[in-house]
Amino acid sequence: MTLRQGLLARGRRNSAAFTFVKDIGIMAQAVLTISSKNYGAWSLRGWLLARLAGLEFAEKVIPPDDADMRAEILLLSPSILVPSLEHNGIKVWDTLAIGEYLHEVNPKAGLLPSDMAARAHCRAICGEMHSGFSSMRSSMPLNIKAFFPKFRTWSRADADIRRIVDIWTDCLTRYGGPYLFGKNPCMADAMYAPVVSRFRTYDIPLDALCVGYCTSIWTLPAMQEWIAAAQEEPDDFDELDAEF
């Protein structure tokens, strides 16, 4: 069974029990600015972080002709002002900064592991995703609706893919899965969630351990909500063909 077949077969099932933390007193009056749900990898990361933290927020979606949205979609920078979070008078942008802020506001949500060594490990692989894998990201842009069977990757992207598989394998064997740092999804899972979608879109072969991890991410209720919204978006971005 390919990764795509496995995800489609279980796409509407949640592979693990998970309850969003709700703390209305702490997590109130928030607005998350995002871009396309089909193409916006960094927006997906920020949105998942907010959901995993139990944040109740309103979405502000930048229109397709906005320059910031196009910059994100064309992979010019992970640190532009999309996504950005406004919460209790504080504005935070950059996906890692949003994750760290949400952890400070609601540490009980478990965005970072409680163990110091695991927490350092989590931050390290989040940083690696944030600053690295540019060959994979540029040659395999996020496109949730698309599927390219037997896609031929190039050598630099292959090196990125191998490194990601090594990270996943190490975490899943060390912490026991089904998520990268154990039983519940955390910041690292939000950071690597767009990679799960990329591997599905571009038909990347994976071993059983990594296929199982991808299924755990794909079937998260929050991920399914994002995917459903992405499927409803129009195809408005001609520049993607040139960038791809």
Side-chain angles (χ1 to χ4, degrees):
M1 178 180 290
T2 66
L3 171 59
R4 178 179 172 85
Q5 289 170 334
L7 295 179
L8 288 174
R10 298 177 59 185
R12 297 188 180 277
R13 295 170 53 195
N14 183 15
S15 62
F18 178 69
T19 303
F20 292 113
V21 178
K22 298 293 185 183
D23 191 337
I24 306 302
I26 297 176
M27 310 293 269
Q29 300 179 351
V31 177
L32 184 70
T33 301
I34 59 173
S35 62
S36 165
K37 289 189 175 179
N38 188 51
Y39 300 114
W42 293 103
S43 288
L44 170 56
R45 292 180 175 103
W47 189 89
L48 280 177
L49 286 167
R51 290 296 302 270
L52 294 177
L55 179 66
E56 292 195 350
F57 59 92
E59 293 180 12
K60 179 181 178 181
V61 181
I62 296 178
D65 58 351
D66 185 277
D68 279 349
M69 185 174 187
R70 291 180 179 272
E72 182 195 11
I73 291 169
L74 296 180
L75 309 173
L76 297 181
S77 172
S79 58
I80 58 174
L81 300 184
V82 178
S84 65
L85 175 67
E86 296 180 61
H87 175 243
N88 289 343
I90 299 171
K91 185 170 183 177
V92 189
W93 59 96
D94 187 279
T95 309
L96 277 184
I98 290 171
E100 291 285 352
Y101 171 77
L102 291 171
H103 174 69
E104 287 187 11
V105 171
N106 193 8
K108 292 181 180 179
L111 283 181
L112 289 172
S114 58
D115 176 75
M116 184 173 67
R119 192 161 60 248
H121 187 191
C122 181
R123 284 186 166 120
I125 67 169
C126 286
E128 193 169 351
M129 182 70 254
H130 186 265
S131 61
F133 309 121
S134 59
S135 295
M136 181 203 67
R137 290 191 283 113
S138 61
S139 64
M140 298 165 52
L142 183 69
N143 189 338
I144 289 174
K145 292 191 287 185
F147 178 57
F148 303 102
K150 298 181 180 179
F151 182 80
R152 295 185 63 180
T153 57
W154 56 305
S155 58
R156 291 184 180 179
D158 286 341
D160 286 349
I161 291 167
R162 287 194 298 271
R163 174 57 187 153
I164 290 168
V165 168
D166 286 345
I167 289 171
W168 289 1
T169 301
D170 177 40
C171 286
L172 293 168
T173 54
R174 188 184 305 193
Y175 302 107
Y179 302 103
L180 292 179
F181 286 85
K183 295 181 179 179
N184 295 312
C186 68
M187 188 184 300
D189 299 292
M191 292 297 291
Y192 283 86
V195 178
V196 169
S197 183
R198 284 181 165 101
F199 284 179
R200 172 193 172 277
T201 294
Y202 299 98
D203 200 25
I204 303 302
L206 299 170
D207 62 21
L209 183 65
C210 290
V211 168
Y213 172 67
C214 289
T215 302
S216 295
I217 296 300
W218 195 258
T219 56
L220 277 171
M223 190 70 177
Q224 284 291 298
E225 181 182 341
W226 181 277
I227 292 165
Q231 295 288 349
E232 298 300 320
E233 281 190 355
D235 299 317
D236 287 332
F237 308 106
D238 296 336
E239 293 91 339
L240 281 173
D241 293 333
E243 182 69 14
F244 178 77

